[in-house]
Amino acid sequence: MTEASIEAGYNFGYLDENTKRMIRRALLKAVAVPGYQVPFGSREMPLPYGWGTGGIQVTASIIGADDTLKVIDQGADDTTNAVSIRRFFNRVTGVATTEHTAAATIIQTRHRVPEAKLREGQVLVYQVPMPEPLFRLEPRVAETKRMHALADYGLMHVKLYEDIARHGAATTSYNYPVLVNQRYLMSPSPIPAFDNPKLDRMPALQLFGAGREKRIYAVPPWTEVKSLDFEDHPFQPARADAACVICGARDSYLDELIVDDSGKRHFVCSDTDYCASRPPVQDAAA
Amino acid sequence: MSELLTAEGLHLHFGKVAALDDVALEIHPGEVVAIVGESGSGKTTLLRVLAGLMPPQQGQVLYAGEDVHAMGEAARRRLMRSDWGFVHQNPRDGLRLRVSAGGNVGERLMAAGARHYGNIRAEATEWLKRVEIDPARIDDMPLQFSGGMQQRLQIARTLVTRPKLVFMDEPTGGLDVSVQARLLDLIRALVADLGLAVLIVTHDIAAARLLAHRMLVMRRGQVVEQGLTDRVLDDPQHPYTQLLVSSVLAA
């Protein structure tokens, strides 16, 4: 792409070169120590915290002129946030954008991992609201750092124990804690537990950016990512027991929609690209 | 018999106040040692220094030949959750009040690497029985327990990993007398059963007589007298010990 297609007055990728360099240094460290939360100097972005400032800064630091960008929000390419972020990068970098998982080199995501298998050379950038997996259990940041440093994660298992004692199963259905490379406890960002197995030994590079909390962490390709569990209560990813009304998929993660005032429910694929890539089912009711 | 824990030449001053002034002691495996003395005599400070929670200004503490204060924090924590136990005066400091009784007992097991829910629960049930808590209450919060039950739960939680050495800071403080008596009985039985070494800090001379084999009397940071419990209490040598023993109220 040429400079001409970039919005006048902006550097390539919106951030200035020094900021990008600083973030890349944090990224290198994060990749070198899988699952470890690296502090970085998060910048003010032209959108509020919680809308993906961390993910955008990571994407802005790694994107190059020949990249192809895909942005999803809860799996969908066509929601406000996804559309806005895609347009933002198109304006400040001029790179090509796509809705097809296979065609993208960088995929920025909020709360989902695409259904299609990712391959080597692709980068998955997560927007993370809360990077600390222990924060609901241990309010002191200094103490959580110490727990990470000493790999002292008994407390997380106490939480799992309590879930099973009270409800008979682990009740965490999203943001389910994982152990990366048998060392660091990591929050996979609020993806559904259904997506957790996809993180394990994924061929693509996974980068996590938390803008408000000023933390970056990463999972290099082919790294072991294990969801915490007990031997006699193994991890079980949850999925609505239904088929997508549009494409009939029984293997994808589903969104539940209430379609009329009497509470009629429909389930549709949360990953719009995956859904569109499959032949539609004949509508039995029609 | 070789010592489990030895301390020598411990000094610690808070400004002008000497909390520890050249204190030395040793604890052998399976031995119960009581530290008695009035408030402010440095007993709790000594306990904290011995347990590695607070560094001394001079002197060293050796556990199984290793310097407790020179080892890294990781090693000290490992010790704290495997070989050692700490029973706080206030069970609220030692328990997680919003985690069920079973979870509280199981925490140390899980920290030590237990990953089988059924086994953890069975072990927790067993320990609740041992400390005379109805196993039916395994899923209740410690918040709903009485003070005595909370203290017994704390003991179960500490002993579940079968430590070799347990530090107790006034374990019977704040409990009424009949509950204290039962708790002391329980501690005595468990200590004998498990062959624990215990270092117990108390200002309750009667509790010390019941539990301890040996006794140290502290005053103003110094150990003024030490010896077998019965000897110290029946034949006190130091004027301060004599005062302490004669001040015990007879019922």
Side-chain angles (χ1 to χ4, degrees), chain A residues 137-138 143 146-147 150-155 157-158 160-162 164-166 229-233, chain B residues 73-74 77 81 96 98-100 102-103 107 110-111 114-121 138-139 141:
Chain A
L137 305 169
E138 174 54 67
E143 181 62 18
R146 202 169 292 136
M147 290 161 82
L150 303 174
D152 191 356
Y153 296 136
L155 191 55
H157 272 93
V158 172
L160 279 182
Y161 171 93
E162 289 291 287
I164 296 172
R166 247 179 266 166
D229 59 2
F230 286 108
E231 286 157 17
D232 49 345
H233 283 81
Chain B
E73 195 184 345
R77 276 207 179 196
R81 58 182 194 226
R96 294 189 188 278
R98 293 178 195 288
V99 167
S100 69
E107 179 173 358
M110 290 184 258
R115 293 290 179 265
H116 191 285
Y117 176 82
N119 293 352
I120 293 168
R121 205 163 164 83
I138 187 166
D139 291 332
M141 300 292 141

Side-chain angles (χ1 to χ4, degrees), chain A residues 45-238:
Chain A
M45 297 302 283
L47 76 170
Y49 287 133
W51 288 30
T53 52
I56 289 179
Q57 289 180 75
V58 170
T59 303
S61 308
I62 60 169
I63 200 164
D66 50 0
D67 272 317
T68 308
L69 180 71
K70 170 184 163 84
V71 182
I72 50 174
D73 175 3
Q74 302 273 18
D77 289 280
D78 50 7
T79 49
T80 314
N81 227 11
V83 171
S84 310
I85 293 174
R86 203 158 52 224
R87 268 196 53 218
F88 169 77
F89 276 113
N90 184 253
R91 281 173 62 184
V92 295
T93 64
V95 304
T97 58
T98 180
E99 296 194 354
H100 297 301
T101 305
T105 54
I106 299 175
I107 302 167
Q108 181 172 331
T109 172
R110 171 174 174 265
H111 305 185
R112 268 317 302 281
V113 177
E115 303 289 355
K117 279 220 173 348
L118 299 181
R119 58 171 196 277
E120 273 188 63
Q122 286 183 310
V123 182
L124 191 56
V125 178
Y126 296 78
Q127 300 169 197
V128 182
M130 185 57 202
E132 180 50 69
L134 296 161
F135 91 113
R136 286 211 186 277
L137 305 169
E138 174 54 67
R140 292 164 295 177
V141 175
E143 181 62 18
T144 61
K145 281 186 183 168
R146 202 169 292 136
M147 290 161 82
H148 282 296
L150 303 174
D152 191 356
Y153 296 136
L155 191 55
M156 198 77 234
H157 272 93
V158 172
K159 156 86 169 70
L160 279 182
Y161 171 93
E162 289 291 287
D163 272 0
I164 296 172
R166 247 179 266 166
H167 309 290
T171 50
T172 310
S173 59
Y174 67 96
N175 210 356
Y176 193 102
V178 293
L179 198 66
V180 179
N181 204 20
Q182 305 182 1
R183 175 59 183 84
Y184 279 100
L185 187 70
M186 186 186 92
S187 154
S189 87
I191 59 171
F194 174 83
D195 282 341
N196 271 21
K198 296 181 194 164
L199 269 59
D200 185 31
R201 297 189 174 83
M202 185 192 276
L205 170 65
Q206 305 174 69
L207 305 174
F208 298 76
R212 184 188 54 213
E213 304 292 330
K214 301 179 171 51
R215 292 287 184 279
I216 281 174
Y217 52 102
V219 177
W222 306 110
T223 305
E224 180 185 332
V225 176
K226 188 180 181 307
S227 305
L228 294 189
D229 59 2
F230 286 108
E231 286 157 17
D232 49 345
H233 283 81
F235 170 75
Q236 276 177 335

